[in-house]
Amino acid sequence: MMLAGVCVIAFTQGGDAAVTTLNNGIEKAFSLILTLCPIMCFYTGLMEIAEMTGITKIIAKLLSPVTSLLFSKKVQHSPAMEKISMNMSANILGMGNAATPLGLEAMKELDSLNPNPEVASKAMCMFIVINTASIQLIPSSVIALRSQYGSLSPSDIMLPTIITTLCAFVIGTFSAKLCERFFYE
Amino acid sequence: MNNIASLFLPVFIVLVLSWALFKKVNIFSAFTKGGAKGLSCMVSIAPSLIALVVAIELLSASGVLGAFSSFFAPLCKLVGIPKEILPLSLMRSVSGSGSMAIFRDILDVHTPDSYIGRVASVIMGSTETTFYTLSVYFAATRARGLRYCVPCALLGDLTGSIVGSFICRYI
């Protein structure tokens, strides 16, 4: 991907443009990591507290009707499941900042469960698909932007958004389930 | 509605902390213990994260997406995605800031309450920056082969675009 990008830019826009984009990318990575660091620390800290009180277990139980369809028994009974459930609920409630650290922790847990660490496990793929479809009840940033651009009813996209995101979620997870059969059995 | 959404996080924090007080958990030591875990996780994912972010930046600046866009246009007409939406739905999977710029542009040109503006809003709200999520999350693992993960995630995005374009005609 990097090779293709550099070649195309160098060809079509000249070497200078390629270097500028490269630097832009590095700068972006830098600020991403710097901003992610404290966010990460804060929310993993908060989650440690939540874990000690048992709140995470309750949330995992609340989501279990859905998650039991998506993940294997082995994953469901592992500590990764709590992290996955917390990540899903953070996404649903629109707490994007909290969702990423939880997702990373969940991926670490799944990595330690993975019998063949070189390739992504079933649970990892499923978890990524769930996250990219990102079910969100109230798309607050979009609503804010719409009203900023003078929309008369900024929040009337809520219902179509929820229906759309559910469809994306169902199709995504369903295809991942199908691929599981195809690739692993 | 917006106010409700912004209340979730504060309520959650209050709930966790008061529950912890009630259960007599040592809050500060738990917080620092968890925070240290988060920091070490961050350090371990940093190198792969940098590589992937740079690669994505190069990809989105290279104009490859524009070429894709004209290539896919006839196909999209078939499934009902308007051509004004196409650059957005392609960019949505690759870059958060890039798709945000396109989204603002669409709101500006087509107004938020038009059909195009509404489809764009639904797509922005219903899907995530797939490649960003992929690169950040897989940076935390040792896996290098991703199997069917990318196609399935992109299929979800495509579903989002198609369903969004369809549903906004009726709701």
Side-chain angles (χ1 to χ4, degrees):
Chain A
M1 213 154 93
M2 210 183 262
L3 183 71
V6 174
C7 290
V8 172
I9 296 177
F11 256 115
T12 55
Q13 300 162 33
D16 278 348
V19 175
T20 316
T21 333
L22 204 60
N23 285 336
N24 276 346
I26 293 170
E27 212 166 276
K28 256 192 197 160
F30 179 72
S31 64
L32 173 69
I33 288 171
L34 272 196
T35 47
L36 211 53
C37 241
I39 294 173
M40 186 87 190
C41 280
F42 179 78
Y43 286 103
T44 47
L46 190 66
M47 279 314 138
E48 188 79 23
I49 302 173
E51 232 163 78
M52 286 192 160
T53 58
I55 291 178
T56 51
K57 278 217 174 63
I58 298 171
I59 291 177
K61 202 156 254 155
L62 284 178
L63 282 178
S64 64
V66 182
T67 49
S68 62
L69 288 175
L70 302 176
F71 293 100
S72 67
K73 281 262 148 33
K74 193 179 136 205
V75 177
Q76 278 173 53
H77 296 298
S78 74
M81 206 58 233
E82 273 175 44
K83 301 266 161 54
I84 292 174
S85 310
M86 291 306 290
N87 166 276
M88 282 172 76
S89 33
N91 269 329
I92 292 171
L93 299 180
M95 305 190 284
N97 276 345
T100 310
L102 289 165
L104 284 171
E105 293 246 300
M107 284 301 271
K108 281 229 144 168
E109 298 273 0
L110 290 179
D111 190 48
S112 66
L113 290 178
N114 193 354
N116 181 6
E118 282 291 298
V119 284
S121 65
K122 283 192 247 182
M124 284 179 189
C125 292
M126 183 56 82
F127 182 58
I128 293 287
V129 171
I130 292 171
N131 260 282
T132 55
S134 87
I135 301 185
Q136 195 183 343
L137 280 184
I138 304 175
S140 37
S141 60
V142 172
I143 294 176
L145 263 177
R146 282 168 61 80
S147 59
Q148 190 194 321
Y149 279 86
S151 168
L152 296 175
S153 50
S155 56
D156 86 0
I157 48 121
M158 263 184 61
L159 184 62
T161 303
I162 292 172
I163 297 173
T164 307
T165 198
L166 278 178
C167 291
F169 175 77
V170 169
I171 298 285
T173 50
F174 188 71
S175 65
K177 268 281 162 209
L178 276 184
C179 292
E180 267 176 25
R181 296 250 163 94
F182 188 72
F183 274 89
Y184 288 90
E185 276 162 29
Chain B
M1 264 329 207
N2 250 341
N3 297 336
I4 301 177
S6 53
L7 272 180
F8 283 135
L9 188 55
V11 166
F12 178 73
I13 293 177
V14 169
L15 198 77
V16 169
L17 291 183
S18 47
W19 203 328
L21 275 179
F22 177 71
K23 286 214 161 180
K24 298 202 171 59
V25 171
N26 188 341
I27 293 177
F28 192 70
S29 83
F31 183 83
T32 48
K33 193 177 147 221
K37 268 194 222 164
L39 196 60
S40 66
C41 175
M42 198 63 222
V43 170
S44 66
I45 70 169
S48 29
L49 200 56
I50 293 171
L52 289 159
V53 169
V54 173
I56 289 175
E57 176 74 18
L58 285 168
L59 184 73
S60 60
S62 65
V64 171
L65 287 179
F68 262 146
S69 188
S70 44
F71 178 75
F72 282 123
L75 216 74
C76 287
K77 211 171 168 194
L78 212 68
V79 289
I81 303 174
K83 67 175 190 303
E84 295 89 340
I85 292 296
L86 195 54
L88 178 71
S89 49
L90 284 175
M91 191 54 122
R92 186 74 194 108
S93 310
V94 180
S95 153
S97 54
S99 60
M100 194 46 99
I102 299 178
F103 179 51
R104 281 173 178 273
D105 195 48
I106 289 177
L107 288 186
D108 210 24
V109 175
H110 296 275
T111 74
D113 292 320
S114 66
Y115 169 66
I116 300 290
R118 284 161 43 98
V119 175
S121 311
V122 168
I123 289 175
M124 280 307 279
S126 67
T127 52
E128 187 53 64
T129 319
T130 298
F131 283 101
Y132 169 81
T133 312
L134 273 170
S135 51
V136 174
Y137 282 11
F138 271 110
T141 70
R142 290 166 288 168
R144 289 296 162 257
L146 303 189
R147 302 234 158 143
Y148 51 85
C149 197
V150 179
C152 288
L154 289 179
L155 186 66
D157 290 351
L158 178 68
T159 313
S161 292
I162 295 173
V163 174
S165 307
F166 179 75
I167 216 161
C168 284
R169 286 181 220 269
Y170 301 102
I171 302 183

